[in-house]
Amino acid sequence: MRKKTTRYGKTRAAGDCRAFRELASSAVDGEIHELEAYSLERHLRSCPCCREFRDFVLRTGLLVRQSPPPPLARRPVEGRVLARAAGGRDRSWWKSRRLLGVAAGSLAAGILLGSALGLRVGGEGVAAPAELPLPRVTAARTLDPSYVPYLSRPLAVAWDAGVIRPGTADEKRLFWVTPMSRYDEAHYRPERL
Amino acid sequence: MREPSADELRRAAAGDERMLDNLVRAYYGPVYNYLYRLVGDAGEAEDLAQEVFLRMARSVGGFGGRARFSTWLFQIARNAGIDHLRRREAERARLPAVLEPLRSSRDAVGEYEEAQLVWSCIGTLNEDLRSALLLRDLLGFSYREIAEILESTLATVKWRIYAAREQVQERYRAVTATEPGRAPGLPR
Ligand SMILES: [Zn+2]
């Protein structure tokens, strides 16, 4: 069996066998026409190399399906949290911020401040300035996952370690570097920390 | 994977908590599994899975049943996975999908070790090939559904799955051939 180099830089079976191996791959998935199946069967009877490939594909497919991922470390996101995201027009995040007295005195001022900071309210949410670095993590301890379930782990750890303090510039940066690149009350609930 | 009905999706879009919980129950596992195998880190996969479901909840109202729900959801998952891989690559220029062994016991030779070797071979595929293979072998999507998810053609999907398998076999052979008599193990 000849080999050739592809654009992926890997050697691959050349000529007829290549076509039959591609067919064998589709056949394993049940994605093959009857006529193709017939000619494939004929080829497989006389070609141990392609038979081996077919068997390998069957075997590895089985192994892949049977490998469980590691168990979840956290509870999946809850319906009540998603419900708020689904509502979309619920601005309770802003309301709770106002109640906490951390945000600007009025929603209008809040939006004004938001736009000054490059935030957009509604629609696509907050665009993340790419150049902002991650907050520096100086200590780590376990964070109750129900508190900030949507932050990436370094951020959650940074928050937990007190590196990111509520009501500071660090906190604003936090929004911009979350994996969501946007935020709402659903994945940022400072009042619970 | 059972597809939710149009009515169930309308309820989800309206913020019906029970319906959204049902969707999480039905799809969270497969989405997490796919993302874990795509990015190769369980914690990162969990972060991403949460993100995927939030994105789903935000946009399910505009979904409108153009495609199947599951292919639409995995489109979101795949995009989130790719964004993450790009971000990660930019952050620390390290290889994606360094797959960790699920347990460390050395005496369980055989099927487990073989599976680990296969996973480590899959981990070396480029993202295009890996995604196509995972959607097929891990999640059992049809070629047509995979084409929808990857926003690609049927022929491309067929080729990618084949090419992925060819490369996996090549790498598998390379390892097992250089270590004769040894049960295929993993770099630890
Ligand atoms: Zn052949």
Side-chain angles (χ1 to χ4, degrees), chain A residues 79-91 184-185, chain B residues 11-16 20 54 57-61:
Chain A
R80 64 183 172 80
V81 174
L82 294 179
R84 276 179 289 172
R89 282 149 298 279
D90 177 1
R91 291 278 163 240
D184 58 22
E185 80 285 358
Chain B
R11 279 165 52 201
D16 181 328
L20 288 160
L54 275 169
R58 286 201 190 94
S59 43
V60 68

Side-chain angles (χ1 to χ4, degrees), chain A residues 17 43 47 50:
Chain A
C17 276
H43 179 80
C47 182
C50 286

